[in-house]
C-alpha cells in the first residue's frame, strides 16, 4: 500500500484495514524522503527480516522480506455415505423374509440375552442386505429440507436436465423451456414451505412453539470448519471427567483424612423393596416399537422406521430380548456402546474451542426400548413409595422449569411479606451426568430397596460402557467409561435424580431450603434482618 499516513485524509485508513483483520507491519523508511510510504499488511502470517534497498529508477526503495504462510489443508477425498435404497422396498416382502429367517420361537426362547440380541440383529441385517444391498453416494453437505418430497425431487431433476440442455446447445427455445420449469419449481417450493411451516406451527404445543419460531427465524448454521478432530473431542471429554474426579481425593482435610464409603443418608431402612422386574407382554412391546420416536443412530444395524413397519413379525423376538435382560440381570453388551455427538452449547460461542461443546450420546433404538421398560417399572416403584426428592422438578411428570421457578419465587415472596431477608445461592454441577459415581449410585439404589436381580441389572447397565466421538464424518478411538450415565439415554435422567437424592438432606441439615431442576440447585435462607449469625 502506497499511502502517506501523516496525511489527514488517510486518518481512517488504519481502522478500515483493521476491520478486515489486517495488521500493519513496522518497517524501515521506504522512500528517499525518509518516510514509510509503502506499507505492509498481514493476516494469518508472520513477516521476518525486512530489508530496504535504494533504487536509481524510483524514489521508492525495493522492499524485501520473508514470510511464513500457514499451509492450506490438502483437499480431502469427498465424503461418501453408505445407505440402503429403501424406496422400492416393500415392507411385506421384507417381513416375510425375516419371518422365514428368524430361528423358531422355541429355539429363540432358549437363547441367553446376548445371543438373542445378536441373532435378532444379524437376521435383520442379512435380510436387509439381501433385498437392498448397501450402495455408496457422495455425502450431502447439509441435510435435505423437510418440505422436499419425491415430486419436488423429480421436478428438480427435470429442471437440471433442461438447464444442461440449454447450456450445451444455446437454443433460445431451450432457454424458454428452462425458465418455465424454473418458475414452476420455485412456485411449488414456496407453496411446500408455506404448507410445511403452517402445519408445524399449528401442530406445535405451547412448549415447542418457541423452538419452532426459533428454527424459522434462525436456521441452523452449517457445520463449522475448524481444526478440531473426533479424537480431540474424545480426549477432552475423558480428561475433563478425570480432572473433576481427581479433585474429590484432594479434598481431604486433617479432620476428615479417612475416605468415606459412598452411601446414601436419605433412606436407611426402606420398608418396601423391588427385587425383580415383571415380564412385559408381546402386545406391550409391539406398542412400544410402533409408538416410540423412530430415531436411527449410526449404531443401529437397520433403519428404525423399517423395524416399526415389521413390528408384528419381530415383536415376539424383541419381547424375549427385553424379558431375558432383567430376568438374567444382564444388559446386552452390544448395546452399551454409544456414539457421542459434540453439540455447541450456545450458537454465540466460538465453534473452534472444544470446551464450548457438550457430549450428547446417540444410542441404539433397541437399547432405548429396553430402558423404557425398566424406566416405567422403576418409576412406578419410586413414586408409590415416595422415594424421589419432592424438591426435584427435573425429569418428573407434571414438573418443569415453571414449577421450579414458582416454588422458589413464592418462598422468597412469603419471606419478604413476613419482613424477612433472604439469601439465594445458585449452584451448577460441572459435567453432571458424566461424573456420576457408579458405586455411590448403586449404594443409593440399594438404600431405596432395589435389590437382587434389579440391582444386578442396573450394575450390568452401568459397567462396561464405552463411547466414541463422531465429528465431521470421522470417528474417534473407543474410550471406556468408569463413571457417568449417558446423556440422551432414557434412564440417564432418572438415575441422576436418584444419585442426587442425598443432597437435599445435606442442605436441610444446615438450615437451608432448596429446590432442584436437574443439576441446577437453588439454595436459599430466609432470616430476620437483625440476625447477625447468618454470615457464619
Amino acid at each position: 500500500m502506497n499511502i502517506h499516513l501523516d496525511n489527514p485524509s488517510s486518518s481512517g485508513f488504519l481502522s478500515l484495514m483493521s476491520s478486515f483483520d489486517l495488521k500493519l507491519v513496522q518497517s524501515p523508511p521506504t522512500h528517499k524522503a525518509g518516510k514509510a510510504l509503502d506499507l505492509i499488511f498481514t493476516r494469518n502470517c508472520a513477516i521476518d527480516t525486512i530489508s530496504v534497498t535504494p533504487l536509481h529508477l524510483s524514489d521508492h526503495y525495493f522492499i524485501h522480506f520473508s514470510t511464513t504462510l500457514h499451509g492450506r489443508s490438502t483437499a480431502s477425498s469427498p465424503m461418501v455415505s453408505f445407505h440402503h435404497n429403501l424406496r422400492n422396498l416393500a415392507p411385506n416382502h421384507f417381513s416375510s423374509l425375516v419371518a422365514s429367517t428368524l430361528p423358531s420361537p422355541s429355539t429363540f426362547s432358549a437363547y441367553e440375552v446376548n445371543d438373542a440380541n445378536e441373532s435378532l440383529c444379524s437376521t435383520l441385517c442379512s435380510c436387509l442386505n439381501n433385498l437392498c444391498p448397501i450402495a455408496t453416494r457422495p455425502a450431502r453437505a447439509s441435510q435435505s429440507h423437510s418440505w422436499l418430497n419425491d415430486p419436488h425431487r423429480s421436478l428438480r431433476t427435470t429442471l437440471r436436465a433442461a438447464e444442461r440442455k440449454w447450456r450445451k446447445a444455446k437454443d433460445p427455445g431451450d432457454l424458454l423451456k428452462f425458465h418455465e420449469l424454473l418458475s414452476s419449481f420455485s412456485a411449488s417450493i414456496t407453496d411446500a414451505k408455506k404448507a410445511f411451516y403452517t402445519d408445524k406451527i399449528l401442530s406445535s404445543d405451547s412448549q415447542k412453539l418457541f423452538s419452532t419460531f426459533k428454527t424459522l427465524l434462525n436456521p441452523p448454521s452449517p457445520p463449522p470448519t475448524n481444526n478440531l478432530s473426533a479424537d480431540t473431542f474424545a480426549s477432552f471429554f475423558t480428561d475433563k471427567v478425570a480432572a473433576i474426579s481427581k479433585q474429590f481425593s484432594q479434598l481431604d482435610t486433617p479432620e476428615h483424612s479417612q475416605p468415606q464409603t459412598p452411601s446414601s443418608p436419605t433412606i436407611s431402612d426402606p420398608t418396601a423393596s423391588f427385587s425383580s422386574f415383571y415380564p412385559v407382554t408381546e402386545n406391550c412391546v409391539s406398542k412400544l416399537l410402533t409408538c416410540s420416536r423412530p430415531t436411527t443412530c449410526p449404531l443401529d444395524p437397520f433403519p428404525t422406521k423399517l423395524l416399526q413397519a415389521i413390528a408384528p413379525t419381530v415383536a415376539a423376538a424383541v419381547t424375549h430380548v427385553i424379558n431375558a435382560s432383567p430376568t438374567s440381570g444382564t444388559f446386552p453388551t452390544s448395546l452399551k456402546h454409544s456414539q457421542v455427538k459434540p453439540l455447541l452449547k450456545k450458537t454465540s460461542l466460538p465453534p473452534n474451542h472444544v470446551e464450548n461443546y457438550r457430549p450428547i450420546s446417540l444410542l441404539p433404538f433397541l437399547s432405548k426400548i429396553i430402558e423404557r421398560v425398566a424406566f416405567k417399572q422403576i418409576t412406578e416403584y419410586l413414586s408409590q413409595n415416595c422415594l424421589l426428592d419432592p424438591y426435584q422438578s427435573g425429569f418428573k411428570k407434571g414438573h418443569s422449569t415453571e414449577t421450579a421457578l414458582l416454588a422458589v419465587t413464592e418462598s422468597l415472596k412469603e419471606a419478604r411479606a413476613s419482613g424477612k431477608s433472604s439469601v439465594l445461592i445458585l449452584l451448577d454441577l460441572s459435567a453432571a451426568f458424566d461424573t456420576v459415581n457408579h458405586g455411590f449410585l448403586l449404594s443409593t439404589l440399594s438404600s431405596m430397596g432395589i435389590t437382587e436381580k434389579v440391582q444386578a441389572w442396573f450394575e450390568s447397565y452401568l459397567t462396561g460402557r464405552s463411547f466414541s466421538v463422531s465429528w465431521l464424518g470421522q470417528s474417534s478411538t473407543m474410550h471406556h467409561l468408569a463413571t457417568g450415565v449417558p446423556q440422551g439415554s432414557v434412564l440417564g435422567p432418572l438415575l441422576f435424580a436418584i444419585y442426587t437424592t442425598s443432597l437435599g438432606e445435606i442442605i436441610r441439615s444446615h438450615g437451608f431450603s432448596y429446590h432442584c431442576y436437574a443439576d441446577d440447585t437453588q439454595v436459599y435462607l430466609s432470616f430476620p434482618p437483625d440476625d447477625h449469625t447468618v454470615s457464619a
Side-chain angles (χ1 to χ4, degrees):
M1 293 292 181
N2 183 4
I3 288 185
H4 200 315
L5 293 179
D6 293 340
N7 193 325
S9 62
S10 62
S11 59
F13 177 73
L14 287 180
S15 60
L16 173 65
M17 301 300 284
S18 178
S19 67
F20 289 93
D21 199 24
L22 292 166
K23 296 180 176 57
L24 176 64
V25 177
Q26 298 298 326
S27 63
T30 62
H31 191 267
K32 71 177 185 179
K35 298 290 186 178
L37 298 185
D38 303 274
L39 309 179
I40 304 171
F41 289 87
T42 63
R43 180 171 62 186
N44 297 332
C45 64
I47 297 295
D48 298 321
T49 62
I50 300 178
S51 64
V52 295
T53 304
L55 299 175
H56 297 291
L57 301 178
S58 173
D59 295 339
H60 297 266
Y61 296 163
F62 175 78
I63 306 173
H64 178 272
F65 56 85
S66 60
T67 179
T68 303
L69 299 177
H70 297 295
R72 293 179 177 269
S73 58
T74 57
S76 58
S77 57
M79 293 173 56
V80 176
S81 65
F82 300 87
H83 73 292
H84 296 278
N85 187 9
L86 302 177
R87 291 187 180 181
N88 300 323
L89 176 63
N92 293 336
H93 188 192
F94 181 66
S95 178
S96 300
L97 182 60
V98 171
S100 61
T101 310
L102 273 174
S104 63
S106 59
T107 303
F108 197 87
S109 60
Y111 289 164
E112 294 183 354
V113 59
N114 284 316
D115 295 334
N117 179 61
E118 184 64 28
S119 175
L120 174 62
C121 294
S122 60
T123 300
L124 290 172
C125 287
S126 62
C127 293
L128 183 61
N129 289 332
N130 287 336
L131 296 178
C132 296
I134 294 179
T136 60
R137 67 182 178 190
R140 292 180 178 271
S142 59
Q143 292 184 350
S144 178
H145 295 296
S146 302
W147 55 79
L148 283 177
N149 53 29
D150 289 340
H152 291 128
R153 295 187 179 95
S154 177
L155 184 59
R156 183 173 58 186
T157 301
T158 306
L159 173 66
R160 289 173 175 172
E163 181 183 9
R164 288 193 298 269
K165 184 178 180 182
W166 166 70
R167 292 187 181 279
K168 184 177 182 180
K170 298 297 182 181
D171 188 329
D174 294 335
L175 177 61
L176 181 61
K177 180 65 175 178
F178 168 62
H179 282 169
E180 290 176 355
L181 288 172
L182 180 61
S183 176
S184 175
F185 179 72
S186 299
S188 65
I189 289 296
T190 301
D191 293 339
K193 282 184 180 180
K194 289 180 180 179
F196 173 78
Y197 283 115
T198 300
D199 180 69
K200 192 171 183 179
I201 291 173
L202 294 178
S203 61
S204 297
D205 55 25
S206 57
Q207 293 181 346
K208 296 181 180 179
L209 191 60
F210 178 78
S211 61
T212 301
F213 277 105
K214 186 178 180 181
T215 304
L216 283 168
L217 300 175
N218 301 299
S221 57
T225 55
N226 51 42
N227 296 325
L228 299 178
S229 66
D231 284 307
T232 302
F233 279 107
S235 299
F236 172 77
F237 294 144
T238 304
D239 294 343
K240 180 179 180 180
V241 173
I244 294 175
S245 301
K246 186 179 179 181
Q247 294 177 10
F248 297 139
S249 61
Q250 298 174 350
L251 295 179
D252 294 335
T253 60
E255 295 82 2
H256 304 86
S257 57
Q258 296 297 325
Q260 301 296 315
T261 302
S263 61
S264 174
T266 307
I267 304 167
S268 55
D269 295 314
T271 56
S273 65
F274 187 41
S275 58
S276 62
F277 292 101
Y278 57 83
V280 293
T281 63
E282 190 174 320
N283 289 335
C284 178
V285 171
S286 183
K287 184 178 179 181
L288 270 177
L289 289 175
T290 54
C291 296
S292 297
R293 186 181 175 188
T295 55
T296 301
C297 84
L299 299 176
D300 283 310
F302 39 83
T304 301
K305 286 187 176 180
L306 187 58
L307 179 66
Q308 292 178 327
I310 63 168
T313 304
V314 298
V318 175
T319 302
H320 172 67
V321 173
I322 293 176
N323 287 332
S325 177
T327 302
S328 61
T330 304
F331 190 80
T333 305
S334 61
L335 302 181
K336 293 183 182 182
H337 183 74
S338 61
Q339 188 175 84
V340 171
K341 181 180 179 182
L343 183 66
L344 195 63
K345 296 177 181 178
K346 294 180 181 179
T347 55
S348 58
L349 295 174
N352 55 341
H353 296 297
V354 67
E355 61 271 13
N356 292 335
Y357 292 82
R358 64 164 54 94
I360 300 299
S361 298
L362 303 179
L363 299 166
F365 179 73
L366 189 55
S367 169
K368 295 180 180 179
I369 294 296
I370 299 176
E371 288 186 48
R372 281 192 175 89
V373 173
F375 176 85
K376 182 177 183 296
Q377 298 188 30
I378 194 68
T379 302
E380 289 176 354
Y381 167 76
L382 295 174
S383 300
Q384 292 172 359
N385 295 279
C386 302
L387 297 176
L388 289 175
D389 191 341
Y391 298 104
Q392 169 65 269
S393 287
F395 324 124
K396 190 186 297 184
K397 187 177 181 180
H399 293 69
S400 64
T401 52
E402 186 175 336
T403 57
L405 288 170
L406 285 173
V408 176
T409 304
E410 286 304 307
S411 296
L412 296 177
K413 285 184 176 180
E414 288 178 5
R416 183 179 180 183
S418 59
K420 293 183 178 181
S421 300
S422 298
V423 171
L424 175 65
I425 305 170
L426 307 178
L427 306 176
D428 178 66
L429 294 176
S430 179
F433 277 56
D434 299 321
T435 54
V436 170
N437 182 284
H438 291 169
F440 189 97
L441 175 58
L442 292 171
S443 177
T444 305
L445 289 169
S446 178
S447 70
M448 291 181 168
I450 296 173
T451 59
E452 299 180 15
K453 287 295 181 65
V454 179
Q455 187 182 31
W457 186 88
F458 275 109
E459 185 174 359
S460 175
Y461 173 81
L462 293 170
T463 56
R465 302 198 73 93
S466 61
F467 79 95
S468 57
V469 175
S470 176
W471 177 252
L472 300 182
Q474 299 177 347
S475 183
S476 70
T477 56
M478 183 185 298
H479 290 253
H480 295 280
L481 294 170
T483 61
V485 291
Q487 297 189 52
S489 63
V490 177
L491 282 172
L494 176 63
L495 291 177
F496 180 79
I498 294 173
Y499 178 68
T500 56
T501 50
S502 60
L503 183 62
E505 184 171 322
I506 296 173
I507 294 175
R508 287 193 299 268
S509 68
H510 292 278
F512 285 83
S513 300
Y514 73 96
H515 203 97
C516 301
Y517 187 86
D519 59 328
D520 292 311
T521 305
Q522 293 79 44
V523 181
Y524 51 98
L525 176 68
S526 300
F527 53 91
D530 56 353
D531 188 351
H532 300 291
T533 64
V534 173
S535 59

